[in-house]
Amino acid sequence: MKDGVLLSVENLHVRFDTYAGQVHAVNGMTFDVRRGEIFGLVGESGCGKSVTGLAIVGMVPHPGRITAGRILFDGEDLLSKDEEEMQHIRGRRIAMIFQDPSAALNPVFTVGNQITRIIRHHMNLSRRDAYERALSVFEAVGLPDPVRIYRSYPHELSGGMQQRVMIAMALSSGAELLIADEPTTALDVTIQAQILDLLAHLRETQHLSILLITHNLGVVAEICDRVGVAYAGNIVEMGATEVVLNQMKHPYTEGLIAALPSPTRRGQPLQSIEGSVPDGLHLPSGCTFHPRCPHVMDRCRDHTPPRVQFSTPYGDHVVSCHLYAREEAR
Amino acid sequence: MHRWTYIVRRLILAVVVLLSVSVVTFFIARVVPSDPAAAWVGSHPKPDQIARARIELGLDKPLYVQYLMYMNKLFHGDLGTSVQTHHPILMDLKTYLPATLELVLVGMLMAIVIGIPLGVLSGAKKESVLDHVTRFFSVAGVSIPTFWLGLLLQLLFFSKLGLLPLNGRLSVDTTLYHPVTQITGFYLVDTLITGNWFAFKDALLHIILPAFTLATYPIGLTVRMTRTSMIEVLNQKYILAARVAGLPERTVLFVLALKNAIIPTITVLGLSFVYSLTGAILVEVIFSWPGLGTYVTNAVLSLDFPVIVSVTLIVTVFYVFINLFLDIVQAMLDPRVTLQ
């Protein structure tokens, strides 16, 4: 285990047994989240990034199951833990927030009731102390008038406030790792920026490490230290955000970035990547990106691409692509 | 504050509903081709006796006058006199209504205590053995004819096992040596208040079989409603969020999910409560339970119109108030529901 790594996902495989057959949602996902960093896991919908997030907290939805791999959290293998041990980790050490905060808050309980329930469960505090803690966490996430928020029902709050409440609930028991699954996708652009600022701020003040799952490269560019680009349940490129976004090597990453609308290309047709995301039922052989790759070679069709590692001033830069296989030796 | 204006408005509406029901039942009762005066005097009446009874009962007056007379008495708390028993109806109701209410309330309690937990677990463990067994029994509960089940239960628990009494509200011994002091008319309550433990135990034993027979339908319904809405609620993001937050499964199911899932169940329970007030007739007959169902059935058979109209009004009152109560409960459980 490398120094400073909080979470390490190694060769994770998740399968869903459906009537149509085995759906390969996650296929060898490998990445680290270091202490105090914001790691972005970016990819299109269906690339297995959300399932990976759920797998880390041991909540892969039915009928999915983890078929291979290791998930090391602070040196402990989470996959070898039973349900009771996982309950001690969930909420207490690893917390998670979701895309649509209005759906992730229970509509028939006040926000205060929901957060104190979590605090009291994890921290064994009296009603009074839990209330005080709830108010201070509300303040820490920048909610104005915590007492009023405490008494509110979710539907009485705006989307941005709801997401702040979710973040408050997630961090109320002192979690070290926050898995944020598309935390800003359902929000207005101005609110998105506020929530991202808040996450960046909390990373500093609460000694938090964040696994940020998103499809939005803009979000990644904004706050992530490092980023992993996921395609068909695997990481195809990973490295420091500056490197991956500016000196990308994988054809998929190139395609993603070329597809971003840009003011400098005004009037030109929008770029897109040919074809569509493979479904997990019929994964392409070899490199899963080969049917859509502009640089496809013969060996891409039936050979799994190697993980090629480059050294940069910003740290390691890993690419899974046959194009760079010969450069491996460098 | 607007909750109270809502309640007041609903109460005013309730009065309108009650007036309409009184008009409709009153006139239907009079349109039916039968002669209340003849019923009043008994068998083999002489024509002059009938004529005298007609004047005595005010049946010679125009229909609307009869209605106004009836309503006038009603507002003074006089529900009229039963043609058949010649008792004031209010007096009859004081014995019959509590008997039925007690039976129905115990039945509803059973539906809640048995039906809701089974529905929750069945919904949470979809397709498990427990779920299949529960669903089998809930379908059975909804479809088994009451009278047949009542007889079977009597056969098993009285004849074969000798564990529970056959019928009635109390055994003869209790009536003779430990008589129940009537306070509320609910024997279970009255015996508790007066500390009459012997009669309490006896009343409890007597109510188990009829209440359970009555409860099978609501239990089946409760299980199915709770199961269905639990399955829906458990798919919601906030349940995943609660589990990810590390909350124990017990809390997730019985607090966080149930408060969302229980609303349709409560509606169903409220409606089957009202239905059981008069619908319990088969159970009351099988278990010789001196309740409203028996009373109104006899009244219908003997064309005892004052009783029919009074009972209809009483049931309407319950219906209106249960519905109001259900709406308020719903608004209390779900803050997104506004009473307007």
Side-chain angles (χ1 to χ4, degrees):
Chain A
M1 165 135 257
K2 279 168 280 179
D3 243 12
V5 171
L6 178 63
L7 175 80
S8 168
V9 174
E10 295 172 8
N11 193 30
L12 183 71
H13 287 257
V14 180
R15 305 262 180 282
F16 287 78
D17 296 310
T18 68
Y19 289 113
Q22 272 206 341
V23 177
H24 300 242
V26 179
N27 302 290
M29 192 78 84
T30 302
F31 62 89
D32 294 334
V33 179
R34 298 175 189 156
R35 283 181 203 279
E37 86 168 346
I38 301 182
F39 181 84
L41 185 56
V42 68
E44 295 170 89
S45 24
C47 72
K49 56 194 196 299
S50 291
V51 174
T52 303
L54 290 171
I56 294 166
V57 289
M59 298 289 301
V60 173
H62 183 80
R65 63 199 161 84
I66 296 169
T67 50
R70 284 206 306 172
I71 298 174
L72 297 175
F73 175 69
D74 202 12
E76 294 177 77
D77 187 0
L78 295 185
L79 296 184
S80 66
K81 294 197 178 295
D82 62 23
E83 178 56 26
E84 204 190 316
E85 291 170 312
M86 276 311 286
Q87 272 195 16
H88 284 280
I89 290 176
R90 278 184 217 127
R92 197 169 306 184
R93 303 195 62 195
I94 305 177
M96 192 162 177
I97 59 173
F98 299 93
Q99 173 168 346
D100 184 0
S102 65
L105 286 164
N106 198 319
V108 301
F109 291 95
T110 61
V111 162
N113 181 310
Q114 300 186 46
I115 192 169
T116 38
R117 195 183 297 282
I118 295 172
I119 293 173
R120 295 193 66 191
H121 176 70
H122 288 304
M123 309 185 83
N124 243 333
L125 294 180
S126 72
R127 216 169 272 278
R128 183 79 222 168
D129 292 347
Y131 172 75
E132 296 296 339
R133 179 163 178 91
L135 292 190
S136 74
V137 181
F138 281 162
E139 237 161 77
V141 299
L143 281 166
D145 199 352
V147 178
R148 188 181 65 81
I149 302 283
Y150 187 93
R151 296 199 190 113
S152 302
Y153 285 96
H155 71 276
E156 296 165 340
L157 304 175
S158 69
M161 286 162 109
Q162 287 173 340
Q163 193 59 291
R164 281 176 197 269
V165 168
M166 284 305 298
I167 295 170
M169 283 166 66
L171 304 182
S172 61
S173 307
E176 300 144 69
L177 175 68
L178 176 69
I179 302 171
D181 187 358
E182 303 271 9
T184 58
T185 306
L187 304 174
D188 291 344
V189 183
T190 48
I191 309 295
Q192 285 189 14
Q194 291 176 14
I195 295 292
L196 292 178
D197 286 348
L198 172 65
L199 289 178
H201 171 72
L202 291 171
R203 176 256 296 263
E204 303 295 334
T205 55
Q206 315 272 323
H207 310 291
L208 200 61
S209 311
I210 300 175
L211 170 59
L212 184 75
I213 298 169
T214 182
H215 69 273
N216 188 334
L217 286 168
V219 168
V220 171
E222 188 108 3
I223 64 166
C224 291
D225 302 306
R226 290 192 311 129
V227 58
V229 180
Y231 186 79
N234 200 353
I235 300 268
V236 294
E237 181 158 11
M238 179 165 65
T241 306
E242 290 85 345
V243 176
V244 173
L245 295 190
N246 299 320
Q247 301 154 39
M248 69 300 270
K249 291 193 181 293
H250 197 280
Y252 177 62
T253 319
E254 283 173 2
L256 272 187
I257 289 167
L260 286 175
S262 155
T264 59
R265 287 195 305 250
R266 222 183 143 79
Q268 296 172 28
L270 287 171
Q271 298 272 321
S272 67
I273 305 174
E274 291 275 315
S276 57
V277 184
D279 75 53
L281 211 55
H282 311 100
L283 280 183
S285 56
C287 170
T288 49
F289 187 60
H290 85 255
R292 304 172 73 188
C293 184
H295 311 296
V296 60
M297 303 177 291
D298 278 347
R299 58 177 306 130
C300 300
R301 294 180 220 278
D302 40 37
H303 288 83
T304 311
R307 276 166 61 92
V308 188
Q309 199 158 327
F310 298 90
S311 288
T312 75
Y314 301 99
D316 288 346
H317 180 195
V318 181
V319 183
S320 293
C321 182
H322 288 297
L323 283 176
Y324 304 97
R326 259 166 274 123
E327 301 181 38
E328 201 170 1
R330 284 187 200 172
Chain B
M1 205 53 225
H2 57 270
R3 185 169 286 185
W4 286 108
T5 46
Y6 171 82
I7 292 173
V8 169
R9 221 173 45 233
R10 282 287 295 265
L11 288 178
I12 294 169
L13 206 65
V15 173
V16 177
V17 170
L18 286 173
L19 279 178
S20 325
V21 169
S22 76
V23 171
V24 172
T25 42
F26 185 85
F27 285 99
I28 285 179
R30 293 307 147 101
V31 169
V32 175
S34 81
D35 191 350
W40 177 257
V41 282
S43 50
H44 308 295
K46 297 200 178 71
D48 63 309
Q49 285 179 316
I50 296 179
R52 217 179 316 125
R54 184 158 287 135
I55 294 166
E56 228 173 86
L57 297 173
L59 293 170
D60 55 335
K61 306 231 168 45
L63 217 47
Y64 73 92
V65 178
Q66 291 184 33
Y67 175 74
L68 290 178
M69 280 165 59
Y70 174 76
M71 289 309 286
N72 182 39
K73 281 197 200 161
L74 197 64
F75 279 115
H76 292 90
D78 181 2
L79 288 174
T81 308
S82 162
V83 172
Q84 195 198 8
T85 63
H86 290 237
H87 289 162
I89 294 172
L90 200 62
M91 206 179 87
D92 282 347
L93 285 179
K94 271 186 188 155
T95 50
Y96 293 123
L97 187 59
T100 292
L101 276 181
E102 184 170 40
L103 180 63
V104 174
L105 283 174
V106 173
M108 288 299 135
L109 194 68
M110 286 179 175
I112 292 169
V113 171
I114 300 171
I116 290 178
L118 279 183
V120 170
L121 293 175
S122 183
K125 306 255 179 293
K126 205 169 62 162
E127 304 300 328
S128 66
V129 177
L130 174 91
D131 183 33
H132 285 295
V133 172
T134 306
R135 278 160 79 190
F136 173 78
F137 279 105
S138 67
V139 171
V142 174
S143 28
I144 288 177
T146 317
F147 65 91
W148 184 73
L149 179 71
L151 292 173
L152 277 189
L153 289 175
Q154 284 179 328
L155 189 69
L156 180 64
F157 286 97
F158 174 72
S159 311
K160 299 284 178 208
L161 300 175
L163 287 176
L164 293 170
L166 181 64
N167 57 24
R169 290 183 82 184
L170 290 171
S171 47
V172 183
D173 278 3
T174 310
T175 336
L176 289 178
Y177 304 114
H178 303 273
V180 176
T181 323
Q182 301 268 349
I183 301 167
T184 59
F186 294 87
Y187 285 2
L188 291 176
V189 177
D190 290 348
T191 50
L192 269 186
I193 294 174
T194 55
N196 188 349
W197 298 110
F198 188 89
F200 175 78
K201 195 182 149 218
D202 195 42
L204 191 62
L205 289 178
H206 275 82
I207 209 167
I208 291 175
L209 283 190
F212 182 74
T213 309
L214 190 65
T216 48
Y217 185 78
I219 289 175
L221 220 52
T222 305
V223 169
R224 293 188 70 81
M225 290 299 296
T226 312
R227 176 182 183 273
T228 311
S229 49
M230 275 302 280
I231 289 172
E232 199 190 309
V233 168
L234 288 175
N235 277 323
Q236 300 294 318
K237 246 322 175 2
Y238 54 78
I239 294 300
L240 175 65
R243 285 176 173 152
V244 170
L247 291 173
E249 192 63 9
R250 196 170 4 100
T251 314
V252 170
L253 291 183
F254 284 94
V255 182
L256 304 177
L258 185 57
K259 196 177 173 194
N260 284 278
I262 205 172
I263 292 165
T265 309
I266 288 179
T267 309
V268 165
L269 275 174
L271 295 181
S272 41
F273 171 81
V274 181
Y275 170 79
S276 301
L277 287 181
T278 49
I281 165 70
L282 282 173
V283 176
E284 291 185 358
V285 168
I286 293 167
F287 290 95
S288 310
W289 196 267
L292 208 57
T294 316
Y295 184 53
V296 78
T297 309
N298 288 336
V300 168
L301 292 177
S302 57
L303 297 170
D304 192 344
F305 289 115
V307 173
I308 298 173
V309 176
S310 302
V311 172
T312 310
L313 278 180
I314 298 269
V315 173
T316 311
V317 170
F318 271 100
Y319 199 82
V320 166
F321 278 94
I322 289 281
N323 270 308
L324 177 59
F325 174 72
L326 290 178
D327 287 347
I328 294 170
V329 168
Q330 195 172 358
M332 277 162 49
L333 287 176
D334 189 343
R336 290 166 301 180
V337 174
T338 48
L339 297 173
Q340 275 174 9

